Amino acid sequence: MSRSAGRLRVGHGYDAHRLQAGQGVTLGGVWIDCDYGLIAHSDGDVLIHALCDALLGAAGLGDIGRWFPDSDARFARIDSRVLLREVMLQVHAAGLAPLNADLTLIAQVPRVAPHVDLMRARLAEDLGVPSALVNVKATTTEGMGHIGRREGVAAHAVVLLDAAEDPI
């Protein structure tokens, strides 16, 4: 089947949060026990926040701050998977569905390699796709900059959406 113009949509998302001393972080929907915590209005899950922005961008629906402003007490300490599920409702309402997602965590700490498979599974569940279509990878900054000094973490996400039907 050939793809008509406007069917496929690419979105990119980015998020960053500061780190502080703490008892753990949530990344990719997975709790990681470590000596750090994220400073954020919600749970600070930069991977999911970047993914939400990528989905919203590809769908032409703005950004995560428009849908879930940090000035709104309803979103204080909220599980970011709840936000992702709401974003997916909006994506589906726009007649779109994800084909795949590729996420990159940029962090010196914590070490996420042991958690990647569970992250992929949880994100895939919320996206409604097989986990083979969700890629999660991590890199460091080799000690450079604020991330290298363990002052923060960041994430990028790219998604490809497909229209459920050909545009009119």
Side-chain angles (χ1 to χ4, degrees):
M1 176 169 109
S2 68
R3 301 274 180 206
S4 61
R7 267 191 75 128
L8 298 178
R9 297 181 174 204
V10 175
H12 174 264
Y14 172 82
D15 193 41
H17 284 290
R18 292 179 290 145
L19 281 172
Q20 64 183 359
Q23 298 177 345
V25 298
T26 300
L27 295 169
V30 176
W31 175 256
I32 301 172
D33 190 33
C34 63
D35 294 333
Y36 297 90
L38 292 165
I39 300 171
H41 182 67
S42 67
D43 64 5
D45 190 330
V46 294
L47 280 170
I48 289 181
H49 296 176
L51 179 56
C52 287
D53 264 350
L55 290 160
L56 291 166
L61 296 172
D63 61 34
I64 194 170
R66 173 180 163 198
W67 288 89
F68 314 108
D70 62 8
S71 58
D72 191 329
R74 291 178 299 158
F75 307 120
R77 307 306 306 156
I78 194 167
D79 179 342
S80 290
R81 289 186 72 195
V82 172
L83 305 181
L84 178 55
R85 290 180 199 124
E86 177 60 32
V87 166
M88 285 307 302
L89 290 174
Q90 300 305 319
V91 167
H92 289 302
L96 299 163
L99 292 178
N100 76 307
D102 185 30
L103 295 85
T104 304
L105 176 69
I106 308 159
Q108 288 297 135
V109 291
R111 180 164 164 69
V112 298
H115 309 282
V116 166
D117 289 340
L118 183 55
M119 289 177 185
R120 291 178 65 204
R122 289 191 178 162
L123 295 171
E125 178 183 345
D126 294 340
L127 291 172
V129 300
S131 61
L133 298 178
V134 177
N135 189 54
V136 176
K137 55 196 179 293
T139 189
T140 70
T141 60
E142 301 293 329
M144 297 181 294
H146 68 281
I147 292 174
R149 290 188 301 271
R150 299 179 172 136
E151 296 171 2
V153 298
H156 288 271
V158 177
V159 299
L160 183 61
L161 301 182
D162 191 10
E165 299 178 11
D166 285 328
I168 296 174

